[in-house]
Amino acid sequence: MVGIKDVAKKAGVSVSTVSNVINGRTNQMRKETLERIEQCIKDLHYLPNKSAQQLKSGQVKMIGVLIPSFMNPNFAALVNILEKIARENYGYQIMIGNTNRQDKQEQHFLEEMSAFGISGAIVVSADTEKKHFKKAIENGMNIISYDGVDSSQNEELLIDSISMDNFKAGELAASFLIQQGIRDLMFVTIHGDFLSRMNKISGFKHALKTYGINTDGTELVIKETEDFGDADLIRIGTKAADYLLKNRKKLPKGIVTINDMVALGMISRFQSLGIKIPDDISIIGIDDTYLSALMSPSLTTISSPINKMAQQMLKRLISRIEGSKLKPKEFLYMPKLVCRKSVKTIEKKGIKVKH
């Protein structure tokens, strides 16, 4: 097996000089020396000993990403973007934890990541004020929240929060439907008092009140079993459609769903029963997952600037990992409407349909 000494011998330099190249300490190195060492590493197919690096530094160039479900395309997209930016811009890799929004899973992954020398994590969780998060922070783990934090208590933030403005997302979706002359509205969500979900519903109801629409009975909560949740969102959508068909004499004319996957499940179920989208019911989602444009009709949705959010998360997290003393802040990114074919629209100037 090729070792660092072999690289040093071939390049005609000391072992410490090769070590500097491996660890990115090349600011004071001559360009010719750097290029020669890099070529020798390539020629010898040398792979640095990550365990040795960890023992020396106490950490690895890796961050953790905790998500509720691999099955949710929105979280899969987030992980994909984070991995690309972390690798290409910072030389970091990521370790992913699938938590199913379970406290024990979150705690387990944080402990495992810490044991591997990982000192930073991006977390999608309903409540980052939980004991296991506070304990991880006290033990040196740097955490960024992607699901938002409750800043209503005016307490000092423990961690950064970087998220879409979910209140604005719900408000934007409802307002668009109302502007198309649709006033019989329903918000379909999943059971669970998660901050991002509650903010979307609050924004939805705020829009209704602004237009003088009664909000009573406008929220449908699907109480899923353990088999549901983020891992089976389309099935939740079909269940919501069945509930409305069974329990309402008249279907709502406009529906906003908690995310795109629930919307796609509802559209599929309604269409299988001969209910036309958007002629009979207009449906709008939140997320703008890649599947939304492939559905027939394509899904009108609310999109977040996920690339900008990912860049900000990594910039602040890696700065902390590498010693910066940034004060925790909340960053809210504005959503935007992506108008497609699942909403019956009134022709207006300024409304662009994205195909």
Side-chain angles (χ1 to χ4, degrees), residues 263-307:
L264 298 182
M266 295 192 78
I267 290 174
S268 178
R269 182 58 172 163
F270 282 139
Q271 288 183 323
S272 71
L273 298 172
I275 298 169
K276 296 179 181 179
I277 310 297
D279 292 342
D280 298 325
I281 304 175
S282 291
I283 298 179
I284 182 169
I286 299 175
D287 280 341
D288 193 22
T289 61
Y290 72 93
L291 293 172
S292 302
L294 303 178
M295 188 71 180
S296 182
S298 55
L299 181 66
T300 295
T301 186
I302 304 298
S303 174
S304 66
I306 190 169
N307 278 283

Side-chain angles (χ1 to χ4, degrees), residues 65-72 75 96-109 123-126 130 132-133 147 190-192 194 197 224-233:
V65 181
L66 303 188
I67 59 172
S69 171
F70 291 120
M71 300 298 288
N72 187 326
F75 298 140
I96 309 168
N98 189 48
T99 67
N100 296 306
R101 295 194 186 273
Q102 299 297 311
D103 290 2
K104 287 185 178 180
Q105 282 291 84
E106 291 173 344
Q107 181 177 351
H108 171 73
F109 280 122
V123 175
V124 184
S125 175
K130 294 173 184 175
H132 55 275
F133 286 117
D147 217 24
I190 308 167
H191 178 69
F194 306 139
R197 293 179 186 175
E224 74 279 11
T225 64
E226 288 185 2
D227 293 332
F228 288 119
D230 289 315
D232 207 351
L233 295 167

